[in-house]
Amino acid sequence: MASLKELKTRISSVKATQKITKAMQMVASAKLRKAQEAITATRPYAERMDTVLGNLAAGMQAEGDAPKLLAGTGEDKVHLLVVASAERGLCGGFNTSIAKIAREHTLDLQSQGKEVKILCVGKKAADVLRREFSDIMLDTIELRDAKQIEFKHAATVSDKIFEMFEAGEFDVCSLFYAEFKSVISQIPTRQQLIPADIPAVEAETGLDVQYEYEPDENEILADLLPRNISFQIFKALLENAASEQGARMSAMDNATRNAGDMINSLTLTYNRTRQAIITKELIEIISGAEAL
Amino acid sequence: MADNFTFDLVSPAKVLFSEPVKSAVIPGSSGYFTVYANHAPTISTLSPGIILVETENNENKDVFVKGGFIDVTQENVTLLAEDAKAVSELTKEELEAAIDQLAVELEASKDEDLKIKIQDHLAQLKIVAEQISN
C-alpha cells in the first residue's frame, strides 16, 4: 500500500489539475459566448447573399452559360478536401471526429478511382491525417495567431483555393468542419464549395421583383461567387471556433468531475491508511505492555 | 424628396450601419449613382470608393468601401461589403498599402478583362487617396 506521504502528494496534484481544468472550462465558456455572437452577427449578410445568389443562379442555370465556379469544370476527377480543425487539443473528440469524416470521405473517393488532395486549415486534423495521407496533403494553413476569426483569415484560405482552381488543379472542392448545435453536440459536416451548391430559391414568393443588373448578370455572378465562397469558409470557421469551445467546455467539465471523484477516493484511502497505522501502533503498545 | 428609406451596410462580421436615410451616393462598378427612395430595384457590384449618405437629420456620413455589392429595392438598400470604414478613420497609409497591393496584382494578371478591372479599381483608389489628403 502506498505510504501516507505518497497519497498526500497525489491528492494535492489531482487538486491542482482539477483547478486547471475548471479554469479551462470557464475560459472556454466565455469564448464560446463570443463565438456564438460572431455567428449570429453573420446572419444578415448570409441572408442577403443567399437571396441575391439564389435569384441570379436560378436564371443562370436555365441559360446554361454559368461561370465555372457555379457549374464546375464538367469533370469529377480531382477532389480537393479542405479540412478545418482546431489549433489546440484538449477539446474532447472535436478534432478526431472532423479528421474521421475527412478520412472516410477520402478513402471513399479513392476507392472510386478519384484523385484526392487535402488542404488543412488548423494543425490538429493535419496531424491526424498526415499519418495516413502524407503524400496527398498539400499544405496546412495555421490560424494559431488569430485570437478571433476575421474575414481576412477566410480570405487567405479562399484565395489559395481560387488560385488552384484557376490553375485547374482540381474539379470539386468540399469543406469539412463541425457545425455547432449545442455545447454537447457538434456535428462534423461536409459542405461542397465548388461547384457552388446554391439552394434554388422557391418560386418567387408573391412579389416578382424585376431587378436591373449593373453591369450584367454574368459579371455580377462572377464577382459574387468568389465572395460567397470566401464567406462560406468564414462562416464554417466561425462555426468551427464555436464548436471547438463547446467541445472543450464539456470535455473540461468531465475532467473536473473525474478529478473530483479521484480526490474523493484518494482521500478515503488516505484516511483508511492513517487509521490502520494508528490501530497498528496501539496494538503494538498494548501487546508490548502485556508482555511485561 | 421627403421620403426616406432604410440603408443597411453589412459586413460578414456585423451590421455596420442601419438607419433611415434620404439619399446615398454609391460607387457602382459602372460609375457613381445616387439612390433615393423608390429607386428601381437594382443589383450592382461596387468599385472601391466613398459612399456618401445623407441621414434623416440632414447629417452627412461618408464611408469607404473596398468593394462589394448592393441590393436596391424600393423600401430598402442593402450594401454588402467585406471591408468598410468611416472616412474619418481612414489613414493614408492604409490606402497606399491597398494601392500597392493592387499594383502588384496588376503586374501579375494576364487576363485582359481582369487587367482593365484592376486598373479601374486602382484609379478609383487614387482618387480617394487624393480626396483624403485634401
Side-chain angles (χ1 to χ4, degrees), chain A residues 31-234:
Chain A
K31 283 190 177 166
L32 173 65
R33 205 171 318 130
K34 255 196 196 163
Q36 274 180 301
E37 275 165 23
I39 294 179
T40 328
T42 61
R43 294 242 166 91
Y45 193 91
E47 279 165 18
R48 287 289 156 172
M49 187 63 110
D50 282 351
T51 359
V52 175
L53 265 184
N55 270 330
L56 278 170
M60 203 50 63
Q61 271 153 354
E63 281 173 38
D65 56 348
K68 272 190 179 173
L69 283 175
L70 182 64
T73 52
E75 289 189 45
D76 181 28
K77 278 201 192 104
V78 188
H79 286 246
L80 176 71
L81 309 186
V82 182
V83 186
S85 68
E87 291 290 353
R88 274 168 252 262
L90 289 179
C91 42
F94 173 75
N95 289 313
T96 13
S97 62
I98 295 176
K100 199 174 136 212
I101 61 160
R103 180 179 168 272
E104 277 165 9
H105 196 70
T106 311
L107 293 177
D108 188 33
L109 285 172
Q110 279 177 338
S111 70
Q112 290 170 30
K114 309 251 159 74
E115 195 186 335
V116 183
K117 293 175 179 175
I118 299 178
L119 175 70
C120 284
V121 183
K123 193 170 121 239
K124 284 290 165 183
D127 287 346
V128 180
L129 293 172
R130 194 170 292 125
R131 266 177 247 148
E132 207 168 335
F133 305 114
S134 62
D135 48 330
I136 54 168
M137 301 259 296
L138 298 173
D139 201 359
T140 308
I141 299 173
E142 292 202 15
L143 301 173
R144 182 151 268 247
D145 307 325
K147 273 182 94 181
Q148 176 90 35
I149 300 288
E150 286 171 40
F151 190 73
K152 61 171 194 239
H153 300 122
T156 20
V157 181
S158 57
D159 283 349
K160 176 116 194 147
I161 296 173
F162 297 143
E163 203 179 292
M164 290 178 62
F165 189 68
E166 298 274 310
E169 287 179 42
F170 64 88
D171 302 311
V172 180
C173 172
S174 39
L175 175 69
F176 291 85
Y177 66 99
E179 194 190 333
F180 182 78
K181 277 272 180 264
S182 72
V183 175
I184 44 166
S185 147
Q186 300 88 28
I187 302 157
T189 317
R190 168 176 177 272
Q191 186 188 1
Q192 185 159 317
L193 290 179
I194 302 171
D197 189 10
I198 294 167
V201 263
E202 288 125 46
E204 291 289 306
T205 39
L207 281 164
D208 185 24
V209 191
Q210 200 59 53
Y211 274 108
E212 272 174 34
Y213 293 100
E214 204 186 279
D216 56 38
E217 295 178 37
N218 263 325
E219 261 181 68
I220 292 184
L221 201 56
D223 191 65
L224 276 191
L225 284 171
R227 271 177 217 281
N228 183 45
I229 289 173
S230 308
F231 179 67
Q232 293 301 338
I233 295 174
F234 178 60

Side-chain angles (χ1 to χ4, degrees), chain B residues 37-56:
Chain B
N38 301 321
H39 191 283
T42 306
I43 292 177
S44 168
T45 52
L46 301 183
S47 293
I50 293 175
I51 303 163
L52 194 66
V53 178
E54 192 187 355
T55 61
E56 263 185 319

